[in-house]
Amino acid sequence: AGVELHLLPTCPPGHEPATVLKGVQAEGGVWAGVMEQSALIPEIQKGHDVKGMAAMFARSPLALAMKPGYRVPEGGEGMVIGGHVPPIVELIQRITPKSHVKSVEREDKLAMLLNGDINAVQVYAKCMETIRLAEHLGQEPMVASLEEVGRWVGNEVHLGYSQVLFSPTANLQDPEARGLLRQFCNATFEGWRQAEADPRAAALDVMRQQESGAVTGQWLDSEEFTVESVRRCCELV
């Protein structure tokens, strides 16, 4: 695609705009990041001068997962929910004001649900976390989108697009940088088209990029598990 890409190490969830802005200020050049829109907007409101330029998923897959057969209390009162990204923890608390939403470590959250320490956990519906839960439970977990959870407790919820590509406003205002970012976006969606056509090849590329075995609480470090995760993600693009 004519774009020379340098991938940075992952940063703590919610720190992506600050990381991108720090990089462009220190090193110059053209920078981009990706994060959930529901987490990006609060960072922009805090004064981080970035703008969204494309959304990789057509809708947000943010959801809550529960053990099969769990009965949600009326209005969600007393329900204990685990979340691992601060802006999303706050979002879930606003959606379910009568529940208790606690911040938990990403690597621990599924085990906490399985052990009964929490009643529900923040997940991406259909993607890796729910696949992992199904393997632990021997059956599919109970999963509800945050819009559906809102209806349960009497709140109308409309989430934005998920996994937004963003860039510093200064880059987007520069014609040359904007042209490069357009090439990057085109190449990104061409990559998704290739992943949809051949999920196994895409999964092998993912496995070459990620640190093997770094996080085992949410996924299995195996080819078949990664192939299925890629296939399900393609359904959301």
Side-chain angles (χ1 to χ4, degrees), residues 129-210:
E129 298 152 314
T130 49
I131 304 173
R132 188 72 167 124
L133 269 176
E135 293 187 349
H136 280 302
L137 294 166
Q139 58 183 312
E140 290 295 324
M142 179 178 164
V143 179
S145 70
L146 292 192
E147 287 96 338
E148 185 177 1
V149 172
R151 290 193 292 272
W152 288 352
V153 301
N155 284 332
E156 187 174 356
V157 178
H158 300 284
L159 293 184
Y161 289 104
S162 170
Q163 293 305 320
V164 172
L165 295 166
F166 68 89
S167 183
T169 302
N171 279 166
L172 290 166
Q173 290 175 339
D174 178 82
E176 184 176 352
R178 190 168 63 248
L180 187 61
L181 288 166
R182 184 177 290 111
Q183 285 180 266
F184 167 69
C185 288
N186 289 339
T188 297
F189 285 99
E190 175 58 29
W192 278 113
R193 282 188 286 272
Q194 292 178 14
E196 185 176 18
D198 192 346
R200 187 168 301 277
L204 292 174
D205 281 339
V206 169
M207 295 185 74
R208 282 191 287 268
Q209 292 289 337
Q210 71 187 20

Side-chain angles (χ1 to χ4, degrees), residues 14 18 35-36 74 83 99 103 128 146 162 178 180 213 233:
M35 66 189 302
E36 170 77 40
E74 185 175 354
S99 69
S103 182
M128 62 183 185
L146 292 192
S162 170
R178 190 168 63 248
L180 187 61
C233 283

